[in-house]
Structures are given as C-alpha cells and as structure tokens.
C-alpha cells in the first residue's frame, strides 16, 4: 500500500506561523525518509489555525528540503486565481523539480465570502468563474504544455491567433488531479479523464458513491488512461489508543466550532481541549469526526487504514496527521504528527 500525507500546516495556541512552518518542514522530511509517496498542501485563507495559504510557495520551500517525495497542492482553489497564474507557478515548480510535482485543483473558495472577494481583487470575479470552472481546468492543462493555447484575435490585428504559454519550453508537466467532496467533482473528473481525489477527511459523506460514479463514467484521456484515485483521512496514532484520542480532540473540537458557526482560534493544546465544554451540536460533529478518523495504537490504526483501502478499493491512502500537543512542548515541533507517520510506516511498509 502507498501512503501519502496531507498537511494543513496547523498552528497551535503555543505557536507562531514560523514555528508551524518549522514543524511542517520536519514533518515533510520525516515523510521523505520513511518512503511516503506524496505530500500535499491545501489552500485556506484567514483561518487562525491553518498556515497553508499558498500551496506553490510551500511546495517550493519543501522541495528544497526533501529529495524523493512528490509535492503538490491539495489543492489550489481555482476560482481564486487566473488559470495562467496557476499554470505559470506549477510549470516553474515542475521545471525546478522534474517528476516531483502534483497540481491538485479544487472548486471551493477555501475561505469565507469576504476573504474570497479580497483574493479576487478589484476586477471583481464572480459566480461566472464557478460556471467556467471546467474550461479553466482545460486552460491550465494546455497552458502548462509545450504547445500552449491559441488565443483568437480580431482580424484587423496582425495575427489571427496568439500563442500563450505558461513556460517557454516545457519538457515535463505536473500531474494534474481534480479534488472534490461532492458528486459534481466525480462527474467532472470522469468526463475529463482526470485523476481524482475525494476529501473523505473533510466530509466523510458520499465517498463510495462519488468514487463509483468516477469509475463508471471515466473517459480515457492523455492525462489518464484509466481511473486513478485515492482518498484522504484524518489520523492520530500513538502508543496507546487513549493518547491518540487525546491528541486528536483539539482538531475535532475545531471542526465542531467551524461546522456550528462558532468563532475560530488557533488549535488548542490537549489540556485546554479536555477542559472545554462543547455545545450539543458541536459535540455531534466531534463524534462524527472521531468515527471516520484513523485513530488508535499502531496496530489499530494500521488495520483501519487497510479497511479503508479495501472498502473504497484504493491502493493509496493520504493521511492528514492532526495530533496537537501537550502543554510544555517545543513550539517548533509537532511530535504527535511525526509519531503518526512513524508508527503507520512501521506497520504498513
């Protein structure tokens, strides 16, 4: 089985952004040393507990500190960006790190409406960008390629077609993936022949149905001759089940606040989470998140990963190591997250 890593670059209450990035750099090096397949960074904005705001910047940083991992976005939220800007960024990343770059693309904004408006700038992009999402996907793929895109121009100009490229001389191209947590993404990935990843860690609803639709409707393309897919899952692994659950609790409570519209802050330390009383609605979110996470001792967690792979018929699972820390931990470390990767690798590789 192949294991990969999703890293939101979580920021605990005892950490600065610099601390969180130092911890993430060490986590990526741990994954690289242990033989994990890929390491993806998402795009979230204006969230106190998430430092992963710019996937291409993080990818470039981690590429300079690792040697084997495939590094990618999980993902770039395309409605926030011009397709040419995304294509240029990832064409450069691929040129600098040939054969190591994945471009995962999503349709959600990755933040609240006010922040999304600020990201889109004075030009005022709107819902038409969501409607044009399938065309934007095609544009990104074509722009990164050696041939580029032919842009039709009015006849009164000197040239009727203008060739637009993201890079002057592409030799290799990033591997493109479509990310999603809905049936829309499954239909679209199948229609375009794209590799597809379902965000099981985020919703946990409809995973089997989405993957079935993707496989049933898949149309071969230059990007994939057959369905290529895996799923993501939150994970907390420790020497004992009790400790794994304790380290997972702060992240579950954060999701409980997010889903019930409560104010968000940095990721709590374990002792603070254990002393927190949640509303019944938020507690229900906590219970649901616990039920679908990989959590427990090494043996228990490995069995849960194998069961997920068998249930959803995938040969790769991407774990999001979400363990927090206890009071007194070194702010520049994320020992619980490192331990999750270490213990899973020991059982599954």
């Amino acid at each position: 089985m192949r294991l990969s890593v999703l890293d939101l670059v979580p920021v605990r209450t005892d950490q600065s952004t610099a601390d969180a990035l130092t911890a993430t750099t060490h986590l990526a090096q741990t994954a690289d040393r242990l033989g994990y397949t890929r390491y993806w960074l998402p795009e979230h904005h204006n969230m106190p507990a998430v430092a992963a705001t710019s996937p291409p910047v993080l990818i470039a940083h981690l590429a300079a500190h690792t040697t084997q991992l495939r590094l990618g976005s999980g993902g770039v939220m395309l409605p926030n960006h011009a397709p040419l800007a995304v294509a240029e960024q990832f064409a450069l990343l691929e040129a600098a790190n040939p054969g190591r770059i994945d471009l995962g693309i999503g349709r959600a904004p990755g933040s609240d409406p006010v922040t999304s408006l600020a990201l889109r700038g004075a030009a005022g992009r709107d819902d038409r960008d969501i409607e044009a999402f399938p065309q934007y996907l095609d544009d990104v793929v074509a722009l990164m390629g050696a041939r580029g895109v032919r842009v039709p121009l009015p006849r009164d100009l000197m040239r009727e077609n203008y060739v637009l490229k993201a890079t002057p001389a592409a030799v290799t191209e990033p591997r493109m993936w479509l990310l999603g947590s809905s049936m829309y993404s499954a239909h679209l990935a199948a229609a375009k022949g794209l590799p597809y990843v379902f965000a099981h860690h985020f919703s946990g609803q409809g995973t089997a149905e989405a993957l079935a639709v993707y496989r049933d409707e898949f149309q071969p393309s230059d990007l994939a001759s057959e369905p290529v897919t895996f799923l993501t899952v939150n994970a907390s692994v420790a020497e004992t089940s009790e400790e794994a659950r304790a380290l997972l609790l702060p992240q579950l409570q954060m999701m409980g606040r997010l889903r019930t519209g409560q104010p968000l802050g940095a990721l709590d330390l374990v002792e603070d989470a254990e002393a927190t009383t949640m509303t019944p609605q938020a507690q229900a979110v906590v219970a649901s998140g616990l039920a679908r996470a990989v959590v427990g001792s090494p043996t228990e967690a490995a069995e849960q990963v194998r069961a997920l792979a068998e249930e959803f018929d995938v040969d790769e699972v991407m774990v999001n190591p979400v363990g927090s820390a206890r009071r007194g931990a070194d702010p520049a470390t994320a020992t619980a997250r490192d331990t999750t990767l270490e213990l899973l690798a020991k059982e599954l590789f």
Side-chain angles (χ1 to χ4, degrees):
M1 179 184 299
R2 292 192 301 274
L3 288 179
S4 294
V5 181
L6 177 67
D7 182 6
L8 277 67
V9 194
V11 183
R12 306 189 307 258
T13 54
D14 64 334
Q15 289 180 312
S16 66
T17 303
D19 291 330
L21 287 172
T22 298
T24 271
T25 303
H26 188 270
L27 187 69
Q29 291 171 330
T30 298
D32 198 37
R33 170 175 55 84
L34 293 172
Y36 281 73
T37 300
R38 66 188 88 241
Y39 196 103
W40 281 9
L41 296 310
E43 178 188 338
H44 292 291
H45 302 281
N46 202 33
M47 297 182 70
V50 179
T53 57
S54 179
V57 172
L58 285 169
I59 291 167
H61 170 71
L62 295 181
H65 290 84
T66 57
T67 59
Q68 303 298 324
L69 284 171
R70 289 193 66 91
L71 294 156
S73 56
V76 165
M77 300 295 103
L78 190 52
N80 293 337
H81 311 283
L84 177 59
V86 174
E88 286 181 333
Q89 291 162 0
F90 279 82
L92 275 176
L93 287 169
E94 175 67 20
N97 308 277
R100 292 185 61 197
I101 303 300
D102 292 330
L103 170 54
I105 286 183
R107 189 171 65 109
S111 190
D112 59 85
V114 175
T115 306
S116 295
L117 184 62
L119 278 168
R120 295 175 184 184
R125 301 179 72 194
D126 54 32
D127 289 342
R128 286 173 294 181
D129 293 292
I130 300 296
E131 296 170 5
F133 181 73
Q135 181 59 51
Y136 288 170
L137 286 176
D138 293 341
D139 291 343
V140 171
V141 172
L143 286 163
M144 290 189 300
R147 290 179 295 179
V149 173
R150 291 192 175 275
V151 181
L153 297 176
R155 288 185 176 275
D156 57 345
L157 296 181
M158 292 183 64
R159 286 180 290 180
E160 293 185 11
N161 288 292
Y162 183 89
V163 177
L164 185 62
K165 294 183 178 183
T167 183
V171 176
T172 59
E173 299 169 23
R175 185 76 187 271
M176 182 102 151
W177 298 75
L178 185 62
L179 282 57
S181 57
S182 68
M183 297 303 291
Y184 172 90
S185 57
H187 288 297
L188 183 59
K192 291 192 174 294
L194 283 168
Y196 176 58
V197 180
F198 190 85
H200 184 74
H201 77 285
F202 181 75
S203 70
Q205 301 294 320
T207 306
E209 294 82 356
L211 294 182
V213 162
Y214 170 67
R215 289 171 173 135
D216 290 344
E217 298 181 1
F218 184 84
Q219 299 295 315
S221 72
D222 292 340
L223 301 174
S225 59
E226 59 184 12
V228 181
T229 188
F230 60 85
L231 54 84
T232 58
V233 63
N234 291 329
S236 177
V237 188
E239 292 296 344
T240 67
S241 301
E242 294 75 15
E243 181 66 2
R245 288 184 174 85
L247 292 164
L248 175 62
L249 182 60
Q251 194 272 344
L252 294 176
Q253 290 184 347
M254 183 181 68
M255 290 305 300
R257 295 186 189 99
L258 176 65
R259 297 288 178 84
T260 57
Q262 299 178 53
L264 299 178
L267 187 69
D268 281 339
L269 297 173
V270 170
E271 292 86 352
D272 296 324
E274 290 176 335
T276 296
T277 301
M278 304 291 287
T279 67
Q281 295 83 1
Q283 188 56 43
V285 176
V286 170
S288 174
L290 179 62
R292 67 173 183 271
V294 167
V295 56
S297 67
T299 301
E300 292 168 337
E303 286 304 313
Q304 292 165 27
V305 171
R306 291 189 187 100
L308 273 173
E310 181 176 355
E311 178 181 358
F312 296 111
D313 191 22
V314 294
D315 56 13
E316 180 176 341
V317 173
M318 177 172 277
V319 297
N320 177 23
V322 294
S324 184
R326 292 189 176 274
R327 190 169 289 113
D330 180 351
T333 65
T335 303
R337 300 203 297 142
D338 281 303
T339 298
T340 290
L341 298 192
E342 294 270 7
L343 295 179
L344 278 179
K346 186 176 180 179
E347 292 288 329
L348 293 170
F349 290 165

